[in-house]
C-alpha cells in the first residue's frame, strides 16, 4: 500500500468520523466547529479527486461562509431566552 | 422514553452511514471502470475547447457549452437575494447604532486579510480562463472578505442598500442576458457569440458573475444579521 492511498483512506475515514461528531455533538457550538472542519477535510478530498475548482468553492462557501452563518445562528439561539424575558418585563 | 427515541436515532444514523459507505465503495468501483460514459463527454469537451477561446475545460463548459445553465444559476442567486429581502418584511435599513464587535484582533485580521482576499479573488477570476479557478470561486473569496469586514464592524453592507446592492446583485444576470440578447438581435443564436470575441466576452461575463455572486452572498449574510439583531430592522 502506497503512502498516497494511506492518506486517501485516512481522509475518507476522518470525513465520516467528523460528520458523525458534527451530528451527534450535544453542544451546538461544537457541532458547528465540526461542520467547519468537515468542510476543510472535504475540500482536501476534492483536491485528491483532482477537482480543484470544487475544492476552492467548498473551502470558501462550505467551510467559510456557511460556518459564519451557522455561528451567528448559534449565537442568536443562545441569546433567545434573554430576549423573551425582556419582552415580559415591558 | 427520550432514551428510546435517542437510541432509535443512533441506530438509524448508523444504518444510514453504513449505506452511504457501501454506496461510496460501489461508486469508486464504477469510476475505476474504463467504459464510463462521462469519459466520452470529457473527450467531446477536449475536441471542441479550441472554439471557446478559453483553455480551462470547467470554464468552457460553464460559460460556453452550458451557458444556459449558468444563466439560470445566476437567476437562482438573484431569487435568493429577493427571498431574503422578502423575509425581512421590507424593513431593512442601515443603522449607524449597530456597531457590533469592535474587537482589535478582528479589525487587525480583517485589515490584513481583506486586501489579500481581493487580490486572490482577482487572480482566481483571471486564472479561471486557463486553469482551475473561475467566477464562482472568485466571488466566494470576495464574499468571505466582505463578511469579515462587516464581522469586524469596519463596514456594514446595508449602507449601500437598496440602490447599489440591487445593481450589483443583478449585474451577473442582466449582463449575461444583455450579451446573449444583443448577439441574438444581430443574428446569432440566443447566448451564442462570434468565436473571435469569445475570450473577451467570457471574461467580461465572468467578472460580472463574480461581482454578483460576492454581493449576493454578502447581502444574504448582512440581511440575516440585521434580522437577528433588534437594532437592524425597523420595528
Amino acid at each position: 500500500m502506497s503512502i498516497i492511498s494511506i492518506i486517501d483512506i485516512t481522509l475518507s475515514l476522518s470525513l465520516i468520523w467528523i460528520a458523525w461528531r458534527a451530528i451527534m455533538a450535544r453542544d451546538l457550538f461544537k457541532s458547528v466547529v465540526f461542520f467547519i472542519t468537515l468542510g476543510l477535510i472535504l475540500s482536501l478530498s476534492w483536491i485528491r479527486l483532482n477537482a480543484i475548482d470544487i475544492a476552492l468553492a467548498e473551502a470558501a462557501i462550505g467551510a467559510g461562509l456557511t460556518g459564519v452563518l451557522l455561528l451567528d445562528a448559534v449565537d442568536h439561539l443562545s441569546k433567545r431566552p434573554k430576549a423573551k424575558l425582556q419582552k415580559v418585563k415591558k | 422514553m427520550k432514551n428510546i427515541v435517542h437510541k432509535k436515532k443512533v441506530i438509524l444514523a448508523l444504518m444510514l452511514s453504513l449505506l452511504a459507505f457501501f454506496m461510496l465503495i460501489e461508486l469508486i468501483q464504477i469510476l475505476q471502470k474504463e467504459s464510463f460514459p462521462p469519459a466520452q463527454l470529457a473527450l467531446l469537451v477536449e475536441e471542441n475547447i479550441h472554439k471557446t477561446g478559453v483553455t480551462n475545460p470547467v470554464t468552457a463548459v460553464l460559460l460556453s457549452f452550458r451557458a444556459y445553465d449558468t444563466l439560470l444559476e445566476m437567476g437562482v442567486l438573484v431569487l435568493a437575494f429577493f427571498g431574503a429581502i422578502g423575509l425581512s418584511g421590507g424593513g431593512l435599513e442601515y443603522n449607524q447604532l449597530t456597531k457590533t464587535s469592535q474587537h482589535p484582533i478582528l479589525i487587525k485580521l480583517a485589515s490584513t486579510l481583506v486586501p489579500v482576499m481581493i487580490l486572490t479573488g482577482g487572480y482566481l477570476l483571471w486564472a479561471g480562463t486557463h486553469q482551475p479557478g473561475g467566477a464562482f470561486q472568485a466571488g466566494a473569496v470576495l464574499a468571505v472578505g466582505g463578511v469579515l469586514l462587516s464581522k469586524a464592524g469596519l463596514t456594514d453592507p446595508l449602507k449601500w442598500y437598496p440602490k447599489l446592492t440591487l445593481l450589483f446583485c443583478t449585474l451577473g444576470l442582466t449582463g449575461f442576458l444583455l450579451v446573449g440578447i444583443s448577439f441574438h438581435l444581430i443574428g446569432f443564436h440566443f447566448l451564442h457569440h462570434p468565436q473571435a470575441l469569445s475570450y473577451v466576452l467570457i471574461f467580461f461575463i465572468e467578472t460580472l458573475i463574480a461581482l454578483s455572486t460576492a454581493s449576493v452572498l454578502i447581502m444574504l449574510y448582512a440581511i440575516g444579521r440585521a434580522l437577528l439583531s433588534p437594532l437592524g430592522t425597523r420595528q
Side-chain angles (χ1 to χ4, degrees):
Chain A
M1 199 189 282
S2 63
I3 296 171
I4 291 292
S5 59
I6 291 174
I7 293 174
D8 285 355
I9 290 169
T10 319
L11 266 180
S12 326
L13 288 179
S14 56
L15 260 185
I16 296 168
W17 182 69
I18 291 167
W20 172 260
R21 291 294 299 269
I23 297 168
M24 298 311 287
R26 282 294 164 106
D27 187 11
L28 276 181
F29 179 76
K30 241 185 205 173
S31 213
V32 173
V33 171
F34 275 117
F35 180 81
I36 295 170
T37 324
L38 180 78
L40 292 174
I41 303 282
L42 193 58
S43 88
L44 281 181
S45 316
W46 282 122
I47 291 175
R48 281 297 305 135
L49 290 168
N50 277 332
I52 300 163
D53 301 78
I54 306 174
L56 278 168
E58 174 63 40
I61 301 177
L65 266 179
T66 319
V68 173
L69 286 177
L70 286 174
L71 280 177
D72 268 18
V74 169
D75 198 33
H76 178 64
L77 284 175
S78 61
K79 276 178 188 164
R80 202 169 45 172
K82 279 183 194 167
K84 267 185 188 170
L85 277 179
Q86 280 170 355
K87 271 182 189 170
V88 172
K89 274 179 193 169
K90 278 176 192 171
Chain B
M1 191 61 199
K2 255 189 174 175
N3 242 332
I4 298 170
V5 174
H6 189 70
K7 266 182 191 166
K8 272 185 184 170
K9 272 186 188 169
V10 171
I11 293 168
L12 187 70
L14 264 176
M15 283 165 71
L16 281 178
S17 44
L18 264 179
L19 185 73
F21 186 69
F22 285 120
M23 278 168 78
L24 194 72
I25 290 174
E26 198 68 24
L27 195 69
I28 290 167
Q29 279 174 350
I30 292 172
L31 282 174
Q32 278 171 346
K33 282 178 191 165
E34 279 180 339
S35 61
F36 192 60
Q40 293 160 14
L41 277 179
L43 273 179
L44 263 179
V45 170
E46 255 173 49
E47 276 168 20
N48 293 295
I49 196 165
H50 63 276
K51 294 178 189 166
T52 62
V54 294
T55 47
N56 177 18
V58 178
T59 307
V61 169
L62 281 180
L63 282 137
S64 189
F65 302 140
R66 290 269 174 204
Y68 192 63
D69 294 20
T70 311
L71 179 70
L72 292 183
E73 264 172 38
M74 291 318 294
V76 170
L77 275 178
V78 172
L79 275 181
F81 173 58
F82 284 121
I85 292 177
L87 278 177
S88 73
L92 282 174
E93 68 176 12
Y94 170 56
N95 197 331
Q96 281 184 316
L97 292 175
T98 45
K99 284 210 165 168
T100 43
S101 61
Q102 287 280 10
H103 203 280
I105 296 176
L106 257 183
I107 290 173
K108 180 75 189 157
L109 187 73
S111 50
T112 316
L113 277 183
V114 167
V116 182
M117 278 174 166
I118 294 172
L119 200 66
T120 314
Y123 171 72
L124 281 175
L125 180 65
W126 170 76
T129 53
H130 53 87
Q131 68 190 60
F136 288 102
Q137 282 77 13
V141 171
L142 287 178
V144 175
V147 167
L148 192 61
L149 274 182
S150 89
K151 195 87 186 149
L154 289 172
T155 182
D156 187 355
L158 286 179
K159 206 191 275 183
W160 295 282
Y161 179 82
K163 284 177 190 163
L164 260 181
T165 51
L166 276 176
L167 174 73
F168 271 95
C169 288
T170 52
L171 203 60
L173 185 67
T174 46
F176 209 153
L177 267 179
L178 276 179
V179 171
I181 291 172
S182 49
F183 278 101
H184 187 44
L185 289 178
I186 301 173
F188 288 90
H189 287 290
F190 179 56
L191 290 179
H192 282 219
H193 43 73
Q195 256 185 49
L197 283 174
S198 202
Y199 179 84
V200 180
L201 283 175
I202 283 181
F203 192 65
F204 174 66
I205 293 169
E206 278 219 303
T207 313
L208 298 185
I209 287 178
L211 287 175
S212 231
T213 313
S215 17
V216 169
L217 291 175
I218 291 171
M219 282 316 287
L220 287 181
Y221 167 76
I223 292 171
R225 209 188 49 170
L227 284 180
L228 296 183
S229 81
L231 278 172
T233 49
R234 212 184 300 151
Q235 294 294 326

